[in-house]
DNA sequence: GCCGTTTTCGGCCCGACTGTTTTCAGTCG
């Protein structure tokens, strides 16, 4: 898939146009197209061949032609020319907070500054301040931001940021002056990675809240402090932005600060067409200025005759249209989950015994838990030999007798070997209650080989689920070369379920892929891949990813009660 | 550059904050 590559190209064009001082609307058009292509599960190259590029919202005549040219020839004349007009090195400077296209252009023209290093030097030597529109304060800020940029990694895992934000929100809620508090922004939308943390508070004493916020125990540095907005840096280098609003605007503010930007823009356009205006203070009649709603978030949507749109869907990916037509999905909820279908124990690379994992699952109110330790050849993870399996099965039988009606399923995470064969013989595989299969090697194989392996696994008569089908580790490893559309077709034909792996650094299938799989009627599992009992709590991230993928309860295998899950599994055995 | 039950041309979300200014430009979300 070259989707990310094409999206990146369009982003670069937008950046260059921005520095060049082009129309903001044209720049926005490139960014919107990039965003749409990034979230596509269909292969952009295939769409280009089929001539269907213009079906992508935000892609019109001009951009479609450019994509065609780029994919066919490997380069784009327009982009090449642009790079001669505007030095591409300057794009980097836009990453410095406070540096926009105008300042980048100014510094480039007057001081020939091209890189962050040069910018840093110039600021150190006080050459920025005398420039028109700059000044001492601006120079100091640039210096500070450059230093901060070095120590701050760009994006953080939801699994790290969500608990941190909830901790802060809990502390803020304890203050008597605080009426309401919530994480907002991309955290509330449950994106898999997060930049800055947005927190919203309703209070009549804004400044007191600011002060209390700045004194929280996790605060390392106060970056900015205004009347209604302040930013801090925590000891684990998370930036948190706090905004305080009056309680009667809280709903409108929560809607606004939850975003996404793109969702809000579309919502505001819709409002405009009806003679209404939306801001963070409420929804108003354009002509009279009369406020129609603001206290609760739901009001904003209801006044526009929309069903309430859950935060996870607010990405301008068709949710507003669906809300208009009353066709929003009834999203799966954490309480719908009846069990976990992928966990490890001490027998392979987990850290707790079977009994501990089972008790923890039962304590969560689950009806079942599938033990899926690694298979024999995965030496690095102490994969189980057939002999060890026998004793694990024995242990499971004994425990099940004690724990009834709770049920431990004897499962495996069998390795799909480099040649596409599975890591246990068929007889052994038939002995499991559930077989999940994974690729753990040959990550760099070409797409054909990867697809052959996946196809072989999905056609194998015992395989029920493919785990982490994309194979990404967020921030560490790119997905392997999966043709997702083909994988989905295979899953649909063979009736194989696909996992949404809930590990915070996997979340694989990701949200877009999950949505496409759901559209094609593929069964999904949401499992944690827990290696100790605390990891069972990762389920919320898997459910969040599923929700972002418009997934409903009926799409998810482990939302079934035990008896129906067992039915599904045995019917599958009979069919094959 | 995209898009269309108010438009194939003329629109394109809205406000706060900062630092530089004497009324505003640039940046951000």
């Amino acid at each position: 898939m070259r989707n990310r590559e094409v999206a990146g190209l369009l982003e670069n064009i937008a950046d260059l146009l921005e520095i060049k001082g082009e129309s903001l609307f044209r720049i926005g058009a490139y960014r919107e197209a990039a965003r749409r292509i990034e979230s596509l599960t269909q292969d952009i190259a295939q769409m280009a061949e089929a001539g269907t590029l213009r079906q992508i919202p935000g892609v019109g005549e001009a951009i479609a032609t450019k994509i065609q040219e780029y994919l066919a020839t490997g380069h784009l004349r327009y982009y090449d020319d642009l790079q001669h007009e505007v030095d591409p090195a300057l794009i980097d400077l836009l990453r410095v907070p406070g540096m926009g296209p105008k300042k980048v252009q100014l510094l480039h023209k007057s001081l020939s500054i091209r890189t962050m290093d040069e910018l840093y030097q110039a600021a150190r030597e006080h050459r920025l301040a005398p420039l028109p529109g700059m000044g001492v304060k601006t120079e100091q800020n640039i210096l500070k931001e450059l230093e901060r940029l070095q120590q701050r990694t760009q994006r953080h895992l939801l699994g790290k940021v969500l608990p941190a934000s909830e901790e802060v929100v809990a502390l803020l809620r304890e203050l008597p002056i605080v009426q309401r508090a919530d994480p907002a922004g991309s955290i509330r939308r449950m994106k898999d990675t997060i930049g800055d943390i947005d927190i919203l508070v309703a209070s009549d004493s804004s400044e007191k809240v600011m002060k209390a916020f700045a004194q929280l125990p996790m605060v390392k540095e106060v970056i900015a402090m205004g009347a209604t907005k302040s930013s801090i840096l925590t000891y684990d280098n998370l930036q948190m932005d706090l905004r305080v609003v009056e309680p009667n605007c809280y709903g409108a503010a929560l809607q606004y600060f939850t975003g996404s930007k793109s969702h809000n823009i579309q919502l505001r356009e819709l409002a405009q067409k009806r003679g209404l205006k939306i801001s963070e203070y409420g929804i108003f009649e354009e002509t009279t200025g009369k406020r129609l709603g603001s206290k609760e978030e739901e009001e904003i949507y209801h006044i526009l005759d929309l069903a309430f749109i859950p935060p996870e869907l607010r990405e301008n990916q068709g949710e507003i249209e669906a809300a208009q037509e009353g066709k929003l999905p009834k999203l799966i909820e954490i309480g719908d989950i009846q069990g976990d279908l992928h966990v490890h124990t001490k027998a392979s690379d987990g850290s707790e015994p079977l009994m501990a994992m089972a008790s923890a699952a039962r304590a969560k109110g689950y009806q079942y838990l599938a033990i899926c330790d690694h298979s024999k050849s995965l030496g690095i993870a102490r994969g189980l030999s057939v002999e060890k399996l026998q004793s694990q099965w024995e242990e499971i039988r004994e425990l099940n007798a004690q724990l009834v009606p709770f049920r431990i399923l004897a499962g495996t995470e069998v390795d799909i070997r480099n040649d596409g064969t599975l890591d246990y013989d068929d007889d052994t595989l038939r002995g499991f209650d559930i077989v999940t299969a994974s690729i753990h090697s040959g990550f760099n194989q070409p797409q054909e080989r990867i697809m052959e392996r996946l196809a072989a696994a999905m056609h194998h008569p015992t395989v029920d689920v493919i785990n982490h089908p994309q194979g990404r580790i967020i921030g560490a490893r790119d997905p392997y070369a999966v043709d997702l559309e083909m994988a989905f077709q295979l899953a649909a034909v063979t009736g194989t379920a696909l996992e949404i792996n809930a590990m915070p650094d996997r979340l694989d299938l990701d949200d877009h892929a999950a949505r496409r799989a759901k559209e094609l009627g593929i069964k999904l599992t949401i499992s944690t891949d827990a290696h100790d009992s605390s990891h069972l709590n990762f389920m919320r991230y898997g459910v969040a990813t599923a929700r972002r993928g418009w997934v409903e309860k009926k799409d998810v295998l482990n939302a079934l009660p035990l008896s129906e899950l067992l039915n599904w599994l045995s019917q599958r055995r009979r069919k094959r």
Side-chain angles (χ1 to χ4, degrees):
Chain A
M1 292 253 284
R2 299 177 66 185
N3 297 24
R4 291 188 65 152
E5 180 188 343
V6 171
L9 172 77
L10 297 177
E11 272 294 341
N12 283 347
I13 291 175
D15 286 337
L16 292 175
L17 291 175
E18 192 163 21
I19 294 168
K20 198 180 151 195
E22 261 286 358
S23 145
L24 290 174
F25 300 114
R26 177 174 295 174
I27 294 162
Y30 277 100
R31 291 206 197 285
E32 178 66 10
R35 201 184 67 83
R36 293 287 187 164
I37 289 165
E38 176 111 50
S39 64
L40 222 55
T41 54
Q42 278 111 317
D43 188 349
I44 189 98
Q46 283 175 12
M47 294 187 77
E49 260 175 58
T52 55
L53 287 175
R54 294 202 51 186
Q55 287 174 8
I56 305 168
V59 175
E61 180 71 44
I63 291 183
T65 310
K66 289 186 174 76
I67 295 173
Q68 294 274 15
E69 181 189 333
Y70 178 74
L71 287 174
T73 67
H75 62 98
L76 178 60
R77 273 274 307 274
Y78 176 75
Y79 182 52
D80 296 342
D81 293 346
L82 207 52
Q83 283 179 304
H84 283 111
E85 271 181 83
V86 185
D87 190 337
L90 297 177
I91 292 176
D92 233 21
L93 294 179
L94 288 174
R95 283 181 44 225
V96 184
M99 291 283 292
K102 295 291 181 334
K103 288 207 182 84
V104 168
Q105 185 69 266
L106 171 73
L107 297 182
H108 183 52
K109 281 215 168 117
S110 50
L111 300 176
S112 305
I113 290 172
R114 294 176 66 242
T115 66
M116 292 218 207
D117 281 346
E118 287 165 6
L119 181 61
Y120 188 73
Q121 277 307 319
R124 289 288 296 268
E125 292 160 11
H126 306 298
R127 286 187 280 131
L128 305 183
L131 295 173
M134 299 291 280
V136 177
K137 200 68 185 274
T138 305
E139 185 177 82
Q140 283 172 355
N141 283 343
I142 288 175
L143 212 49
K144 235 168 120 181
E145 289 297 351
L146 280 169
E147 280 159 6
R148 195 172 283 136
L149 207 58
Q150 298 215 310
Q151 47 173 291
R152 198 152 61 95
T153 43
Q154 280 305 92
R155 293 191 74 79
H156 307 278
L157 295 177
L158 177 67
K160 172 182 180 184
V161 164
L162 183 60
S165 69
E166 285 171 340
E167 194 186 344
V168 168
V169 163
L171 290 171
L172 290 171
R173 281 180 183 157
E174 281 175 17
L175 300 172
I177 46 171
V178 167
Q179 300 195 5
R180 299 164 81 174
D182 288 283
S186 50
I187 299 183
R188 185 150 179 264
R189 302 199 313 278
M190 299 292 238
K191 275 197 72 164
D192 50 16
T193 61
I194 308 290
D196 296 337
I197 299 176
D198 292 308
I199 293 172
L200 184 68
V201 161
S203 170
D204 290 312
S205 331
S206 169
E207 277 166 42
K208 284 186 191 161
V209 179
M210 294 295 171
K211 271 190 194 146
F213 177 60
Q215 286 167 6
L216 291 178
M218 58 284 279
V219 174
K220 180 169 82 175
E221 184 192 339
V222 178
I223 298 170
M225 182 124 96
T228 65
K229 179 187 164 185
S230 49
S231 298
I232 59 102
L233 202 62
T234 69
Y235 282 103
D236 32 0
N237 282 324
L238 301 175
Q239 182 173 329
M240 294 198 186
D241 299 336
L242 175 73
R243 293 154 206 274
V244 182
V245 299
E246 289 175 12
N248 71 352
C249 302
Y250 192 72
L254 190 58
Q255 195 290 317
Y256 171 65
F257 289 119
T258 296
S260 65
K261 184 177 177 170
S262 181
H263 172 89
N264 284 353
I265 288 174
Q266 209 202 336
L267 208 61
R268 286 171 181 208
E269 281 173 4
L270 184 68
Q272 244 186 2
K273 284 181 192 147
R274 299 185 170 209
L276 302 172
K277 191 185 72 166
I278 302 176
S279 75
E280 55 262 55
Y281 299 105
I283 178 161
F284 304 86
E285 265 176 10
E286 183 84 72
T287 45
T288 63
K290 185 183 166 202
R291 179 149 69 187
L292 304 176
S294 63
K295 188 151 194 224
E296 300 300 330
E297 198 180 31
E298 287 81 355
E299 296 173 64
I300 308 295
Y301 292 95
H302 288 166
I303 287 164
L304 292 170
D305 292 322
L306 299 175
F308 179 74
I309 301 177
E312 294 93 331
L313 298 186
R314 300 182 194 169
E315 298 290 347
N316 193 16
Q317 304 271 8
E319 72 279 8
I320 292 175
E321 293 81 351
Q324 281 176 318
E325 294 161 16
K327 287 182 180 162
L328 283 174
K330 188 175 181 325
L331 298 180
I332 183 152
E333 292 172 17
I334 188 92
D336 293 330
I337 299 295
Q338 304 297 335
D340 201 320
L341 294 178
H342 180 181
V343 311
H344 296 269
T345 73
K346 225 173 153 173
S348 67
D349 61 348
S351 57
E352 293 181 32
L354 221 164
M355 182 58 186
M357 297 301 288
S359 317
R362 202 167 63 146
K364 291 184 78 68
Y366 288 162
Q367 299 181 16
Y368 48 86
L369 178 73
I371 303 296
C372 293
D373 275 315
H374 290 287
S375 59
K376 60 182 167 38
S377 70
L378 204 63
I380 192 171
R382 297 196 304 275
L384 268 62
S385 65
V386 175
E387 294 72 41
K388 280 191 176 163
L389 268 180
Q390 297 297 340
S391 74
Q392 185 174 70
W393 290 353
E394 184 62 31
E395 192 184 354
I396 288 174
R397 269 193 292 274
E398 285 167 14
L399 283 174
N400 273 336
Q402 293 175 32
L403 298 174
V404 72
F406 183 84
R407 174 74 179 271
I408 303 170
L409 299 172
T412 179
E413 179 177 15
V414 65
D415 219 51
I416 304 169
R417 289 187 291 215
N418 273 329
D419 61 0
T421 59
L422 299 178
D423 196 27
Y424 289 122
D425 62 73
D426 289 5
D427 277 345
T428 306
L429 286 168
R430 273 190 284 271
F432 291 103
D433 296 322
I434 182 169
V435 173
T436 74
S438 303
I439 288 183
H440 285 124
S441 60
F443 299 133
N444 294 322
Q445 288 177 343
Q447 183 163 299
E448 274 173 34
R449 293 286 308 283
I450 296 276
M451 292 315 297
E452 282 166 14
R453 290 166 76 186
L454 283 174
M458 285 197 249
H459 280 295
H460 194 280
T462 65
V463 171
D464 301 303
V465 186
I466 301 293
N467 296 321
H468 43 73
Q470 296 173 272
R472 69 167 180 174
I473 307 285
I474 299 173
R477 192 176 75 208
D478 282 340
Y480 25 71
V482 185
D483 178 336
L484 274 179
E485 281 294 315
M486 189 191 287
F488 293 154
Q489 300 300 341
L490 284 165
V493 169
T494 59
T496 312
L498 300 179
E499 180 187 64
I500 296 174
N501 187 296
M503 278 269 178
D505 61 350
R506 285 196 183 267
L507 297 178
D508 172 7
L509 302 173
D510 68 19
D511 45 7
H512 304 303
R515 182 168 175 188
R516 180 66 180 155
K518 180 232 157 76
E519 277 172 12
L520 295 172
I522 293 161
K523 275 274 178 266
L524 298 165
T525 66
I526 307 175
S527 296
T528 62
D529 203 350
H531 284 65
D532 71 51
S533 54
S534 72
H535 292 168
L536 292 175
N537 296 324
F538 291 155
M539 186 59 80
R540 65 187 302 202
Y541 306 114
V543 170
T545 301
R547 287 171 63 86
R548 288 179 56 81
W550 297 50
V551 171
E552 303 179 275
K553 180 179 175 181
K554 64 180 167 57
D555 303 313
V556 177
L557 211 50
N558 52 318
L560 293 175
L562 175 62
S563 57
E564 290 179 37
L565 173 69
L566 294 175
N567 266 341
W568 187 87
L569 288 167
S570 65
Q571 275 185 13
R572 218 177 129 63
R573 292 279 186 285
R574 275 202 297 277
K575 263 190 230 161
R576 307 184 76 177

